mmCIF file of all heavy atoms in Angstrom:
data_model
loop_
_atom_site.group_PDB
_atom_site.id
_atom_site.type_symbol
_atom_site.label_atom_id
_atom_site.label_comp_id
_atom_site.label_asym_id
_atom_site.label_seq_id
_atom_site.Cartn_x
_atom_site.Cartn_y
_atom_site.Cartn_z
ATOM 1 N N LYS A 57 -8.038 18.145 -9.460
ATOM 2 C CA LYS A 57 -9.430 17.728 -9.662
ATOM 3 C C LYS A 57 -10.070 17.276 -8.351
ATOM 4 O O LYS A 57 -11.241 17.537 -8.096
ATOM 5 C CB LYS A 57 -9.488 16.585 -10.672
ATOM 6 C CG LYS A 57 -10.893 16.094 -10.938
ATOM 7 C CD LYS A 57 -10.914 14.949 -11.921
ATOM 8 C CE LYS A 57 -12.325 14.477 -12.155
ATOM 9 N NZ LYS A 57 -12.355 13.259 -12.955
ATOM 10 N N HIS A 58 -9.329 16.610 -7.523
ATOM 11 C CA HIS A 58 -9.881 16.028 -6.300
ATOM 12 C C HIS A 58 -9.680 16.901 -5.068
ATOM 13 O O HIS A 58 -9.762 16.418 -3.952
ATOM 14 C CB HIS A 58 -9.311 14.620 -6.091
ATOM 15 C CG HIS A 58 -9.694 13.678 -7.178
ATOM 16 N ND1 HIS A 58 -8.772 13.019 -7.947
ATOM 17 C CD2 HIS A 58 -10.902 13.305 -7.650
ATOM 18 C CE1 HIS A 58 -9.392 12.270 -8.843
ATOM 19 N NE2 HIS A 58 -10.685 12.431 -8.682
ATOM 20 N N LYS A 59 -9.441 18.185 -5.293
ATOM 21 C CA LYS A 59 -9.336 19.132 -4.180
ATOM 22 C C LYS A 59 -10.715 19.368 -3.551
ATOM 23 O O LYS A 59 -10.832 19.909 -2.477
ATOM 24 C CB LYS A 59 -8.745 20.443 -4.687
ATOM 25 C CG LYS A 59 -8.370 21.404 -3.613
ATOM 26 C CD LYS A 59 -7.667 22.614 -4.195
ATOM 27 C CE LYS A 59 -7.204 23.521 -3.066
ATOM 28 N NZ LYS A 59 -6.485 24.667 -3.589
ATOM 29 N N THR A 60 -11.720 18.911 -4.213
ATOM 30 C CA THR A 60 -13.109 19.116 -3.809
ATOM 31 C C THR A 60 -13.441 18.452 -2.474
ATOM 32 O O THR A 60 -12.815 17.472 -2.085
ATOM 33 C CB THR A 60 -14.071 18.584 -4.898
ATOM 34 O OG1 THR A 60 -15.404 18.879 -4.504
ATOM 35 C CG2 THR A 60 -13.926 17.080 -5.090
ATOM 36 N N HIS A 61 -14.447 19.009 -1.816
ATOM 37 C CA HIS A 61 -15.020 18.388 -0.619
ATOM 38 C C HIS A 61 -16.335 17.683 -0.968
ATOM 39 O O HIS A 61 -16.995 17.144 -0.094
ATOM 40 C CB HIS A 61 -15.288 19.438 0.461
ATOM 41 C CG HIS A 61 -14.072 20.148 0.917
ATOM 42 N ND1 HIS A 61 -13.053 19.520 1.597
ATOM 43 C CD2 HIS A 61 -13.698 21.435 0.779
ATOM 44 C CE1 HIS A 61 -12.103 20.395 1.870
ATOM 45 N NE2 HIS A 61 -12.471 21.563 1.380
ATOM 46 N N ASN A 62 -16.701 17.723 -2.248
ATOM 47 C CA ASN A 62 -17.962 17.151 -2.701
ATOM 48 C C ASN A 62 -17.829 15.621 -2.778
ATOM 49 O O ASN A 62 -17.167 15.085 -3.662
ATOM 50 C CB ASN A 62 -18.351 17.732 -4.059
ATOM 51 C CG ASN A 62 -19.721 17.298 -4.502
ATOM 52 O OD1 ASN A 62 -20.109 16.138 -4.343
ATOM 53 N ND2 ASN A 62 -20.470 18.223 -5.065
ATOM 54 N N LEU A 63 -18.492 14.959 -1.859
ATOM 55 C CA LEU A 63 -18.382 13.504 -1.754
ATOM 56 C C LEU A 63 -18.991 12.793 -2.952
ATOM 57 O O LEU A 63 -18.525 11.719 -3.335
ATOM 58 C CB LEU A 63 -19.031 13.024 -0.455
ATOM 59 C CG LEU A 63 -18.445 13.638 0.817
ATOM 60 C CD1 LEU A 63 -19.203 13.132 2.038
ATOM 61 C CD2 LEU A 63 -16.958 13.378 0.945
ATOM 62 N N LYS A 64 -20.007 13.375 -3.554
ATOM 63 C CA LYS A 64 -20.620 12.751 -4.737
ATOM 64 C C LYS A 64 -19.644 12.728 -5.906
ATOM 65 O O LYS A 64 -19.569 11.739 -6.631
ATOM 66 C CB LYS A 64 -21.917 13.462 -5.106
ATOM 67 C CG LYS A 64 -23.047 13.176 -4.120
ATOM 68 C CD LYS A 64 -24.332 13.857 -4.531
ATOM 69 C CE LYS A 64 -24.929 13.073 -5.676
ATOM 70 N NZ LYS A 64 -26.293 13.478 -6.010
ATOM 71 N N ILE A 65 -18.902 13.796 -6.089
ATOM 72 C CA ILE A 65 -17.907 13.838 -7.165
ATOM 73 C C ILE A 65 -16.816 12.807 -6.905
ATOM 74 O O ILE A 65 -16.415 12.066 -7.809
ATOM 75 C CB ILE A 65 -17.306 15.255 -7.304
ATOM 76 C CG1 ILE A 65 -18.358 16.209 -7.865
ATOM 77 C CG2 ILE A 65 -16.053 15.236 -8.188
ATOM 78 C CD1 ILE A 65 -17.944 17.668 -7.857
ATOM 79 N N LEU A 66 -16.345 12.752 -5.681
ATOM 80 C CA LEU A 66 -15.313 11.770 -5.340
ATOM 81 C C LEU A 66 -15.824 10.346 -5.551
ATOM 82 O O LEU A 66 -15.114 9.496 -6.101
ATOM 83 C CB LEU A 66 -14.847 11.967 -3.899
ATOM 84 C CG LEU A 66 -14.097 13.271 -3.620
ATOM 85 C CD1 LEU A 66 -13.895 13.456 -2.133
ATOM 86 C CD2 LEU A 66 -12.771 13.299 -4.367
ATOM 87 N N LEU A 67 -17.058 10.097 -5.123
ATOM 88 C CA LEU A 67 -17.629 8.761 -5.297
ATOM 89 C C LEU A 67 -17.774 8.422 -6.774
ATOM 90 O O LEU A 67 -17.483 7.291 -7.179
ATOM 91 C CB LEU A 67 -18.975 8.641 -4.583
ATOM 92 C CG LEU A 67 -19.660 7.286 -4.717
ATOM 93 C CD1 LEU A 67 -18.777 6.158 -4.162
ATOM 94 C CD2 LEU A 67 -21.015 7.299 -4.018
ATOM 95 N N GLU A 68 -18.205 9.368 -7.590
ATOM 96 C CA GLU A 68 -18.329 9.114 -9.033
ATOM 97 C C GLU A 68 -17.001 8.662 -9.625
ATOM 98 O O GLU A 68 -16.955 7.737 -10.433
ATOM 99 C CB GLU A 68 -18.826 10.375 -9.750
ATOM 100 C CG GLU A 68 -20.292 10.673 -9.515
ATOM 101 C CD GLU A 68 -20.717 12.041 -10.048
ATOM 102 O OE1 GLU A 68 -19.912 12.708 -10.746
ATOM 103 O OE2 GLU A 68 -21.842 12.449 -9.742
ATOM 104 N N ASP A 69 -15.921 9.302 -9.202
ATOM 105 C CA ASP A 69 -14.608 8.916 -9.709
ATOM 106 C C ASP A 69 -14.189 7.550 -9.176
ATOM 107 O O ASP A 69 -13.528 6.786 -9.882
ATOM 108 C CB ASP A 69 -13.568 9.982 -9.383
ATOM 109 C CG ASP A 69 -13.720 11.217 -10.266
ATOM 110 O OD1 ASP A 69 -14.439 11.139 -11.288
ATOM 111 O OD2 ASP A 69 -13.121 12.245 -9.938
ATOM 112 N N CYS A 70 -14.575 7.229 -7.969
ATOM 113 C CA CYS A 70 -14.298 5.898 -7.415
ATOM 114 C C CYS A 70 -15.065 4.820 -8.188
ATOM 115 O O CYS A 70 -14.522 3.751 -8.475
ATOM 116 C CB CYS A 70 -14.669 5.845 -5.937
ATOM 117 S SG CYS A 70 -13.610 6.805 -4.849
ATOM 118 N N ILE A 71 -16.299 5.124 -8.538
ATOM 119 C CA ILE A 71 -17.140 4.177 -9.280
ATOM 120 C C ILE A 71 -16.547 3.886 -10.660
ATOM 121 O O ILE A 71 -16.653 2.763 -11.156
ATOM 122 C CB ILE A 71 -18.596 4.693 -9.375
ATOM 123 C CG1 ILE A 71 -19.258 4.627 -7.989
ATOM 124 C CG2 ILE A 71 -19.393 3.902 -10.405
ATOM 125 C CD1 ILE A 71 -20.586 5.361 -7.902
ATOM 126 N N LYS A 72 -15.916 4.878 -11.266
ATOM 127 C CA LYS A 72 -15.266 4.670 -12.565
ATOM 128 C C LYS A 72 -14.179 3.603 -12.475
ATOM 129 O O LYS A 72 -13.890 2.935 -13.454
ATOM 130 C CB LYS A 72 -14.679 5.976 -13.083
ATOM 131 C CG LYS A 72 -15.723 6.986 -13.507
ATOM 132 C CD LYS A 72 -15.070 8.299 -13.902
ATOM 133 C CE LYS A 72 -16.133 9.358 -14.159
ATOM 134 N NZ LYS A 72 -15.524 10.677 -14.382
ATOM 135 N N ILE A 73 -13.602 3.450 -11.303
ATOM 136 C CA ILE A 73 -12.540 2.461 -11.075
ATOM 137 C C ILE A 73 -13.132 1.113 -10.701
ATOM 138 O O ILE A 73 -12.671 0.071 -11.153
ATOM 139 C CB ILE A 73 -11.607 2.934 -9.947
ATOM 140 C CG1 ILE A 73 -10.952 4.249 -10.333
ATOM 141 C CG2 ILE A 73 -10.569 1.871 -9.605
ATOM 142 C CD1 ILE A 73 -10.334 4.969 -9.172
ATOM 143 N N ASP A 74 -14.156 1.142 -9.863
ATOM 144 C CA ASP A 74 -14.760 -0.089 -9.354
ATOM 145 C C ASP A 74 -16.264 0.120 -9.206
ATOM 146 O O ASP A 74 -16.713 0.837 -8.303
ATOM 147 C CB ASP A 74 -14.130 -0.450 -8.004
ATOM 148 C CG ASP A 74 -14.587 -1.788 -7.478
ATOM 149 O OD1 ASP A 74 -15.690 -2.249 -7.836
ATOM 150 O OD2 ASP A 74 -13.847 -2.387 -6.671
ATOM 151 N N ASN A 75 -17.013 -0.483 -10.082
ATOM 152 C CA ASN A 75 -18.459 -0.312 -10.108
ATOM 153 C C ASN A 75 -19.144 -0.778 -8.817
ATOM 154 O O ASN A 75 -20.254 -0.357 -8.526
ATOM 155 C CB ASN A 75 -19.048 -1.030 -11.326
ATOM 156 C CG ASN A 75 -20.406 -0.501 -11.694
ATOM 157 O OD1 ASN A 75 -20.601 0.710 -11.812
ATOM 158 N ND2 ASN A 75 -21.360 -1.402 -11.881
ATOM 159 N N ASP A 76 -18.488 -1.628 -8.047
ATOM 160 C CA ASP A 76 -19.061 -2.079 -6.773
ATOM 161 C C ASP A 76 -19.329 -0.905 -5.825
ATOM 162 O O ASP A 76 -20.197 -0.996 -4.956
ATOM 163 C CB ASP A 76 -18.128 -3.061 -6.062
ATOM 164 C CG ASP A 76 -18.062 -4.412 -6.746
ATOM 165 O OD1 ASP A 76 -18.880 -4.686 -7.647
ATOM 166 O OD2 ASP A 76 -17.174 -5.205 -6.367
#
Side-chain angles (χ1 to χ4, degrees):
K57 180 181 180 188
H58 297 122
K59 190 174 184 178
T60 184
H61 299 294
N62 187 319
L63 302 178
K64 288 182 76 169
I65 290 172
L66 293 171
L67 179 59
E68 286 171 8
D69 286 346
C70 290
I71 290 168
K72 290 175 187 173
I73 299 164
D74 186 335
N75 201 49
D76 289 349

